[in-house]
Amino acid sequence: MMDGNATPTRTTVREATFDLLRQLGMTTVFGNPGSTELPFLDRWPSDFHYVLGLQEASVVGMADGYARATGRCAMVNLHSAAGVGHALGNVFTAMKNAAPMVITAGQQTRALLPNFPFLGATEAAHFPRPYVKFSVEPARAEDVPAAIAQAHRIAMQRPYGPTFVSIPFDDWSAACQPVAARAWHPDTAPDPAALAEAARAIDGARRPVLVVGPEVDAEGAGPAMVALAERIGAPVWTSPFSSRLSFPEDHPLFAGHLHASPQQVSDTLIGHDLVLVIGAPVFTFHVPGECALFSAGIPIIQMTTDPETAASAPVGTAILGALRHGLPALAALIEGAARPLPAPRARPAPPEPGSPLGAPYALHRLHAAMPEGAILVEEAPSHRPTMHAQMPMREWGTFFTMASGGLGYSLPGAVGVALANRGRRVVCLIGDGSFMYSPQAIWTAVQEKLPLAVVVMNNAGYGAMRSFSRVLQVRDAPGIDLPGLDFVTMARGMGCPGRIAATAGELDDALAEAMASKGPMLVEVVIDPVIPQLYDKK
């Protein structure tokens, strides 16, 4: 015990920060540094791993994938206002993905800030808002470690998300007190009375239906979700634009994926007498229209960890709290009335190869080529319905995509997922348009020697835009076609081998090689440019 007259231990902001990060298990740092970060990088400690990305959006995407795959907070190092600006698209995506991270950015020396210096960030803490949960430039240099500790606690409070700390250049050498990591247990259990009421409503329903979203996998509550669905005996739909596996897609109760169309959601659910939404909004829509379900008087019960999602629901009852606590508690309260099981879900026949190759065939062959336990990270929006049909996901923690709709996440996200699962095969399924947003992430995969297979679906354009043009009856829109891109050459220029596949035989050979590669490999699949309609015109 310290003598009351003893002088408290003093250290520097830099050393206090590294000690804090060690306590928090944040010894992997994702970054793209500049001059204002050099005092932090000086004499880099040997027990820390700095993952270099060649552009800040890629850096944040990699940190996002790493955080979601590990369930832990990632540490990010960006360069002043310009670096934060480059990263903001994927910061927005990280917020939507509920990816926990502490983003730090360098700031000019405090003494220079009143004169608007070169590389000075004006109102640095305001710049990334509203797409971070917490943002600060500490008033005093000695407060930097405590600000990072607070940012970590807020990032790890559900719903998880990014936080931001701006750190002036000269703060790192300032004297401060060490900061100890606090124990942090932010999960809360749902209200028992609300769960009891929900159980009574479920027991009284004749045709209940479940809509399940990404929070289930994010919380590690997948087995509890399956047990609850089996206890209820109701069909299970995946919520629109779910960014993770929501329910095993080979389970007899799995009914399919809801589209982000109000009419399609309503048409699918309105025949039921109770809708239970778990770990998802009520509902995520992408196109306008009337959702008759909301005015039909059918009870909707939502269970979520996200208070904003709960507050924004237009109808229904919301029960807030951790799903890992709430799902087993609800299952224990349900009597389990016998209900007829839903009819088995129809599966599409294996597609035939064509010339050019069709997307269904290419995805069917990719699914067959992926080894057991492989992880899929997807950003091919125009092919997502086809992917759902041809590549049923079964294992928790093996599927990730972005929840924001912004392109440029999944290639660096796949690098982060692979870093979190070293030695395990990771596959990035990506469109040709999406690839061009963060191609430099391949360089990091090469440097880190990651077993990452990058499969580029090349239909020479923004396929989703082609589909939406038909839905919205827009003709002759510019900026949709993407001729002349050579993805294999781009990959090779960063040290990554690649092959192009335009026939069935070439596709199987290239995929087999990519799945066996010890490091990253790219496969460019030349496919039919015709895109199926993603939503009904009505």
Side-chain angles (χ1 to χ4, degrees):
M1 185 172 181
M2 182 182 293
D3 185 333
N5 296 319
T7 302
T9 303
R10 299 285 284 179
T11 185
T12 65
V13 166
R14 181 180 184 276
E15 292 308 314
T17 298
F18 278 121
D19 287 343
L20 172 67
L21 295 178
R22 289 184 181 99
Q23 295 174 59
L24 295 173
M26 297 172 68
T27 56
T28 297
V29 179
F30 297 86
N32 182 272
S35 58
T36 52
E37 291 73 52
L38 282 174
F40 172 61
L41 304 176
D42 181 34
R43 293 161 293 166
W44 188 251
S46 60
D47 58 330
F48 278 70
H49 180 202
Y50 195 93
V51 180
L52 176 61
L54 301 185
Q55 204 265 3
E56 289 88 345
S58 287
V59 168
V60 171
M62 289 187 286
D64 181 318
Y66 183 85
R68 295 172 77 197
T70 61
R72 302 195 307 269
C73 191
M75 183 70 178
V76 179
N77 170 229
L78 301 181
H79 177 44
S80 193
V84 175
H86 290 160
L88 276 179
N90 273 343
V91 173
F92 169 71
T93 292
M95 188 72 165
K96 293 295 185 180
N97 285 349
M101 65 181 72
V102 175
I103 302 169
T104 61
Q107 169 67 292
Q108 257 292 6
T109 303
R110 287 180 184 266
L112 293 177
L113 290 178
N115 296 321
F116 302 104
F118 187 70
L119 291 179
T122 303
E123 297 188 16
H126 290 272
F127 190 21
R129 292 176 180 167
Y131 299 118
V132 292
K133 297 180 66 181
F134 169 79
S135 186
V136 68
E137 185 174 276
R140 304 181 304 170
E142 62 198 83
D143 296 330
V144 167
I148 292 173
Q150 184 178 6
H152 173 269
R153 291 191 293 271
I154 293 172
M156 291 299 292
Q157 181 174 346
R158 295 195 183 274
Y160 291 168
T163 57
F164 178 80
V165 182
S166 172
I167 305 172
F169 179 95
D170 49 340
D171 283 8
W172 294 108
S173 60
C176 73
Q177 300 288 346
V179 174
R182 290 168 47 196
W184 187 240
H185 304 286
D187 279 354
T188 57
D191 183 347
L195 291 178
E197 184 178 341
R200 287 191 292 272
I202 292 168
D203 284 332
R206 292 177 300 162
R207 296 197 65 222
V209 63
L210 285 81
V211 177
V212 182
E215 292 177 33
V216 169
D217 195 25
E219 281 203 44
M225 182 67 248
V226 172
L228 176 63
E230 291 174 348
R231 182 76 172 159
I232 297 172
V236 179
W237 290 85
T238 290
S239 64
F241 285 128
S242 180
S243 59
R244 301 179 71 139
L245 175 66
S246 298
F247 199 79
E249 295 172 17
D250 59 348
H251 193 282
L253 291 175
F254 181 67
H257 299 81
L258 290 178
H259 292 198
S261 160
Q263 180 152 350
Q264 287 173 325
V265 167
S266 183
D267 290 348
T268 302
L269 303 179
I270 205 165
H272 296 272
D273 59 356
L274 176 69
V275 180
L276 182 60
V277 181
I278 297 177
V282 181
F283 297 95
T284 299
F285 295 134
H286 189 198
V287 293
E290 181 183 355
C291 186
L293 177 70
F294 293 157
S295 57
I298 298 169
I300 297 176
I301 300 173
Q302 179 191 26
M303 296 179 65
T304 179
T305 62
D306 188 340
E308 289 190 3
T309 290
S312 68
V315 294
T317 298
I319 303 174
L320 284 166
L323 299 181
R324 65 189 185 93
H325 299 312
L327 297 183
L330 178 60
L333 295 170
I334 294 171
E335 294 180 2
R339 295 185 178 92
L341 293 177
R345 182 171 177 245
R347 301 296 308 164
E352 296 293 331
S355 183
L357 291 174
Y361 181 80
L363 295 175
H364 172 72
R365 298 311 301 159
L366 173 60
H367 187 62
M370 288 173 60
E372 190 75 21
I375 301 172
L376 180 67
V377 185
E378 175 265 335
E379 192 176 294
S382 58
H383 302 301
R384 189 169 298 168
T386 304
M387 179 198 73
H388 289 321
Q390 299 298 331
M391 303 183 70
M393 308 299 164
R394 303 181 177 93
E395 297 180 43
W396 302 105
T398 60
F399 174 68
F400 299 90
T401 187
M402 46 81 183
S404 68
L407 302 183
Y409 162 73
S410 288
L411 183 53
V415 173
V417 170
L419 283 164
N421 294 273
R422 283 193 178 270
R424 190 170 176 183
R425 177 62 55 190
V426 176
V427 177
C428 178
L429 172 63
I430 193 163
D432 50 348
S434 296
F435 180 93
M436 294 306 299
Y437 281 75
S438 300
Q440 60 281 108
I442 284 183
W443 181 88
T444 303
V446 171
Q447 302 306 307
E448 297 286 340
K449 300 179 175 60
L450 300 175
L452 173 64
V454 180
V455 180
V456 181
M457 302 286 279
N458 187 355
N459 57 15
Y462 294 118
M465 292 293 289
R466 290 171 180 161
S467 177
F468 287 129
S469 293
R470 293 199 302 271
V471 172
L472 301 175
Q473 300 181 31
V474 173
R475 295 184 298 175
D476 303 323
I480 292 178
D481 296 328
L482 301 174
L485 293 172
D486 185 341
F487 299 97
V488 170
T489 298
M490 280 189 275
R492 288 174 178 168
M494 289 181 279
C496 174
R499 289 182 59 174
I500 191 167
T503 67
E506 291 173 346
L507 177 63
D508 283 347
D509 289 347
L511 291 175
E513 183 179 347
M515 298 304 161
S517 176
K518 293 183 179 179
M521 179 175 169
L522 181 141
V523 177
E524 177 182 346
V525 187
V526 181
I527 59 171
D528 191 335
V530 175
I531 299 297
Q533 196 149 293
L534 300 179
Y535 300 113
D536 291 338
K537 289 183 179 179
K538 63 185 178 181

